[in-house]
Amino acid sequence: MIETSRRVQNVLSAALTGAIAVIVILAVLLPIWIFLKFDYVPKLASDFIIERTPPDNAIALQNALGPLAFPSAFLGGVMFTAMLGLLAGLVYAVLRPRSRWLATLLASLTAPAAIWFCFPNMTAVALIPLLFTGLIVDRLARNDPPAFKVTQPDSMNGISRRQALTRLAMFSLGGLAVSAVGGLPVYLSELRSRTAGRRLFDFTPPPARVTGFDLAELSPEITPVADFYKMRKFATPIPTISPDWKLTIDGSVSKPLSFTFDDLLKLPRQDVYLTRQCVSNPVGGNLISTAYMSGVSLAEIVKQAGVGANVVELVCYGRDGYSESLPLDYALEHGLLTYAMNGVYLPESHGAPVRVEVPGLYGFKNMKWLDRIEAVDQHYVAIWEQQGWTKTAIYKTMSRIDTISSTANGAVIAGVAFAGLRGISCVEVQINGGEWQVATLHIPPLSGQTWVQWRLETIERGKLTAIVRATDGTGIPQIAADQKQFPDGASGYHSLTVTI
């Protein structure tokens, strides 16, 4: 029993030397990454994990963790990278009795190979520093006894419990320290970005055009800025606004231009009611909001630069390193360079100082933190399309039940419906498997680019199960088949069960 316990203790300690070696390398690289922004394995690993986490789970985690969501993702990247170093420690422990040189070499190759196998998106530059893993393991473990062999029961033939616990503490605390230092800028930027923008003009949501829509749990026609949904995919700090910020228009244009924020404010302002929805929004989800957006027509800006006859797309670049493409004709017809919402300048969390709003297209096409637009003569395949997400990104028709509330004579069922630029012509509700009933719409809508509130009164009480479906303005009904968000948005009917 003592021999088995000591053997296990030796093996764990040998493995921990590899994890500690990786933590040491990550700690040395951390300040270089923070200031020079080169490829950093934990950052790339956390991005890889986020991108491939099912949208429902990612949304739930972001909502639960709030400002700690992305620092937690970075912590996961650090600890997962370090844990792959365990393999390096085991390789060294197995081979050292035969050849210390061979053990050191293969331990150096093990961690980069394991990380590359788990995360094929890793670059060679990011993996090169991990080639020093074997040297550090050799330094830490050169005096250790054979990990997989115990020949004598005395203490000289095993690592003491104190040594084993010390290595475990070094691994745990070192990983937490690297994660805290690396994740702190992201956490602070999340808190800072939630500060409300300065007021551009006084704004009050318009009064209702139809009575009966003042229900407490029904989504308001205009979403307050603080409640407007936010979604991003990278564990990086939210970009700050540089004092010398400019928007550049270049590529296949006759006259490349740059606009300061003051230049944009001098151009004719457009104020438009818009609804935006994330492609990751599940059926019945809350990643959809409506606001009074203010900005400059995208066509106004691009046409000043003189778009070439061969241009087919505009590629938008953000200060967070993200980029996305828009069909030229569609972008010029519908695009708005937004700098305010509900009468206040954009908060940093919503893309300040300027973002692109493209009505009719899912949120990932509506670029935040914009600083460059490039006119190109061929299709630009951005990151989400590379991963199999939709190229066109056109909104599917959706409807949602927000509330089933008691009334004097029964119940009222209410919610919102949205179909992008196609509008909503009809909403129907089915109660407890009965006939479909036509709901009352809050029309006319605020614009042809917003959601529509709906409501239906019923005399039924008790346990109510309601299902909703909508028909767009062209007469095409909402898709009934259930589909998750990937690759082109969720579909299916939303239902809600309550007891009145």
Side-chain angles (χ1 to χ4, degrees):
M1 178 67 70
I2 294 176
E3 180 179 328
T4 301
S5 175
R6 182 161 293 165
R7 183 180 291 113
V8 171
Q9 190 168 284
N10 287 355
V11 170
L12 290 177
S13 296
L16 284 171
T17 57
I20 293 169
V22 171
I23 289 291
V24 169
I25 293 172
L26 297 183
V28 171
L29 294 175
L30 181 60
I32 304 175
W33 169 66
I34 290 175
F35 292 107
L36 299 182
K37 301 302 180 185
F38 72 103
D39 289 340
Y40 189 53
V41 172
K43 167 62 172 58
L44 298 177
S46 64
D47 286 349
F48 188 94
I49 293 169
I50 291 171
E51 291 166 15
R52 284 157 181 80
T53 299
D56 288 353
N57 297 337
I59 294 165
L61 286 171
Q62 288 194 36
N63 290 337
L65 296 172
L68 290 173
F70 287 102
S72 297
F74 184 76
L75 168 64
V78 170
M79 299 308 290
F80 190 86
T81 304
M83 288 180 67
L84 291 179
L86 297 171
L87 297 176
L90 291 175
V91 168
Y92 179 86
V94 169
L95 296 177
R96 196 190 69 172
R98 298 173 182 166
S99 170
R100 180 178 164 190
W101 177 86
L102 181 62
T104 301
L105 174 63
L106 292 184
S108 294
L109 296 174
T110 298
I115 292 171
W116 181 81
F117 177 80
C118 294
F119 305 110
N121 64 330
M122 289 295 168
T123 63
V125 173
L127 296 175
I128 287 174
L130 293 173
L131 293 175
F132 291 94
T133 302
L135 295 174
I136 300 175
V137 170
D138 180 64
R139 180 69 179 175
L140 292 173
R142 65 172 59 185
N143 296 321
D144 287 355
F148 295 92
K149 184 178 181 183
V150 175
T151 57
Q152 300 176 15
D154 56 59
S155 61
M156 296 301 293
N157 201 35
I159 295 175
S160 69
R161 180 175 297 180
R162 181 176 180 181
Q163 288 176 300
L165 291 176
T166 298
R167 291 185 183 180
L168 179 61
M170 290 174 63
F171 163 64
S172 303
L173 297 178
L176 288 174
V178 171
S179 302
V181 174
L184 184 61
V186 183
Y187 175 73
L188 294 178
S189 75
E190 287 282 347
L191 295 181
R192 182 199 68 241
S193 70
R194 300 185 176 205
T195 303
R198 294 180 294 110
R199 183 165 298 281
L200 176 63
F201 57 84
D202 291 331
F203 172 75
T204 302
R209 278 85 60 213
V210 181
T211 60
F213 283 92
D214 54 345
L215 302 173
E217 297 180 1
L218 175 61
S219 299
E221 284 194 292
I222 298 297
T223 310
V225 174
D227 298 333
F228 201 103
Y229 88 87
K230 294 181 285 290
M231 175 58 70
R232 62 192 188 94
K233 292 284 189 177
F234 299 106
T236 53
I238 292 176
T240 57
I241 304 174
S242 171
D244 59 352
W245 176 88
K246 289 183 179 180
L247 173 62
T248 301
I249 314 293
D250 58 18
S252 297
V253 296
S254 58
K255 184 175 62 173
L257 297 173
S258 292
F259 296 85
T260 66
F261 190 64
D262 286 339
D263 292 335
L264 296 179
L265 293 179
K266 293 175 184 176
L267 295 174
R269 191 183 83 206
Q270 292 189 4
D271 301 310
V272 185
Y273 291 106
L274 293 177
T275 294
R276 187 191 328 127
Q277 179 182 202
C278 182
V279 72
S280 295
N281 196 31
V283 172
N286 294 316
L287 297 181
I288 179 171
S289 304
T290 299
Y292 193 52
M293 301 294 187
S294 302
V296 179
S297 166
L298 179 59
E300 173 85 19
I301 296 295
V302 174
K303 288 179 178 178
Q304 287 189 35
V307 177
N310 60 336
V311 172
V312 296
E313 286 188 343
L314 299 178
V315 182
C316 301
Y317 297 89
R319 300 195 309 283
D320 61 338
Y322 179 55
S323 58
E324 190 52 74
S325 62
L326 298 169
L328 176 65
D329 293 340
Y330 191 96
L332 295 184
E333 181 178 359
H334 302 289
L336 182 71
L337 298 179
T338 303
Y339 51 72
M341 55 194 302
N342 294 353
V344 299
Y345 290 107
L346 291 180
E348 289 181 351
S349 59
H350 285 290
V354 173
R355 70 173 296 156
V356 177
E357 292 285 356
V358 193
L361 303 184
Y362 279 114
F364 71 91
K365 290 287 187 178
N366 295 251
M367 188 79 190
K368 295 190 290 287
W369 306 300
L370 183 70
D371 64 4
R372 181 187 172 211
I373 298 174
E374 179 187 17
V376 297
D377 59 4
Q378 58 184 348
H379 176 52
Y380 176 84
V381 182
I383 182 172
W384 302 122
E385 187 180 346
Q386 291 174 20
Q387 296 179 8
W389 288 86
T390 174
K391 172 184 175 181
T392 58
I394 297 174
Y395 287 129
K396 291 180 177 178
T397 302
M398 62 80 68
S399 55
R400 185 184 73 199
I401 302 171
D402 286 346
T403 180
I404 303 179
S405 307
S406 177
T407 65
N409 300 316
V412 60
I413 307 169
V416 294
F418 179 59
L421 300 181
R422 301 184 303 278
I424 295 293
S425 63
C426 179
V427 171
E428 298 170 285
V429 180
Q430 183 186 66
I431 304 173
N432 292 342
E435 297 293 325
W436 288 96
Q437 303 177 54
V438 177
T440 299
L441 302 182
H442 191 174
I443 54 177
L446 294 176
S447 77
Q449 303 164 150
T450 66
W451 61 15
V452 175
Q453 294 175 319
W454 58 266
R455 58 170 282 151
L456 175 75
E457 292 194 29
T458 178
I459 60 173
E460 296 190 47
R461 302 183 71 86
K463 185 177 181 180
L464 302 181
T465 296
I467 303 174
V468 63
R469 68 184 184 188
T471 302
D472 71 19
T474 68
I476 298 177
Q478 180 178 341
I479 298 172
D482 291 331
Q483 176 187 296
K484 290 291 188 179
Q485 297 93 321
F486 183 85
D488 58 352
S491 67
Y493 295 162
H494 184 222
S495 65
L496 185 63
T497 300
V498 301
T499 300
I500 298 296

